[in-house]
Amino acid sequence: MRILVINGPNLNLLGRREPDVYGHASLEEVNAFIRGYFKKTEIDFFQSNHEGAILDKLHAASEVYDGIVINPGALTHYAYALHDAIKAIRPPVMEVHLSNIHARESFRTQSVVAPVARGTISGLGPYGYVLAIRALVHFAKKGN
Ligand code: DQA
């Protein structure tokens, strides 16, 4: 079982960026927290501030991973190329947000990723990634 976790723009700043909204843990600490929940599942992590780099990673991931978790950052709200890439690839993609995007500014309540995601988890902090991976492992083993 192989899962890829992608974090988009500005998520490299976790811990320093609006800690009241996104928490005090760095991205490395969040990734270690996630890894701690899984013994048998191979998990790779990728972060980029560049939409094109994320698209390239998704294309390359298509034949490699059983599932993908993505926190697209602000790309969530407007990146139609990201929407298309997720639609084009084979593995199911779970959308994750640390904060509850529905409880914030109105521009954050729209996600162009949600319609092509297998599901969305929003507002559970780093534990959202764990639940998203659990769901992907479940679906990969059991079908639906
Ligand atoms: C975010 C929510 C987005 O609106 C924001 O642009 C982010 C982080 C979250 O994890 O809550 O960068 O995806």
Side-chain angles (χ1 to χ4, degrees):
M1 192 73 61
R2 224 175 149 191
I3 303 289
L4 175 64
V5 177
I6 298 178
N7 280 288
N10 299 311
L11 290 160
N12 56 312
L13 299 179
L14 279 182
R16 284 175 285 154
R17 170 194 184 204
E18 299 180 77
D20 46 319
V21 177
Y22 299 117
H24 291 273
S26 68
L27 183 58
E28 290 67 30
E29 288 167 343
V30 168
N31 291 348
F33 168 85
I34 296 166
R35 217 190 273 285
Y37 279 84
F38 299 94
K39 297 258 162 343
K40 296 188 209 132
T41 307
E42 210 180 310
I43 306 172
D44 294 327
F45 296 95
F46 178 77
Q47 189 278 329
S48 178
N49 293 320
H50 305 279
E51 182 177 358
I54 294 172
L55 301 189
D56 289 343
K57 190 71 180 177
L58 286 169
H59 298 170
S62 195
E63 299 310 319
V64 179
Y65 292 95
D66 299 294
I68 299 170
V69 176
I70 188 165
N71 181 345
L75 295 174
T76 305
H77 312 300
Y78 63 89
Y80 296 116
L82 181 59
H83 169 112
D84 287 348
I86 291 171
K87 208 169 179 179
I89 63 172
R90 186 193 49 81
V93 175
M94 286 288 294
E95 174 188 5
V96 168
H97 301 285
L98 292 158
S99 66
N100 179 353
I101 58 173
H102 301 288
R104 300 182 60 196
E105 302 97 318
S106 62
F107 75 86
R108 292 188 204 277
T109 62
Q110 196 209 348
S111 168
V112 301
V113 168
V116 287
R118 181 67 178 76
T120 300
I121 295 171
S122 176
L124 302 186
Y127 193 55
Y129 294 94
V130 174
L131 293 180
I133 295 170
R134 283 200 173 142
L136 288 169
V137 170
H138 171 84
F139 293 132
K141 282 188 184 152
K142 305 232 155 67
N144 260 305

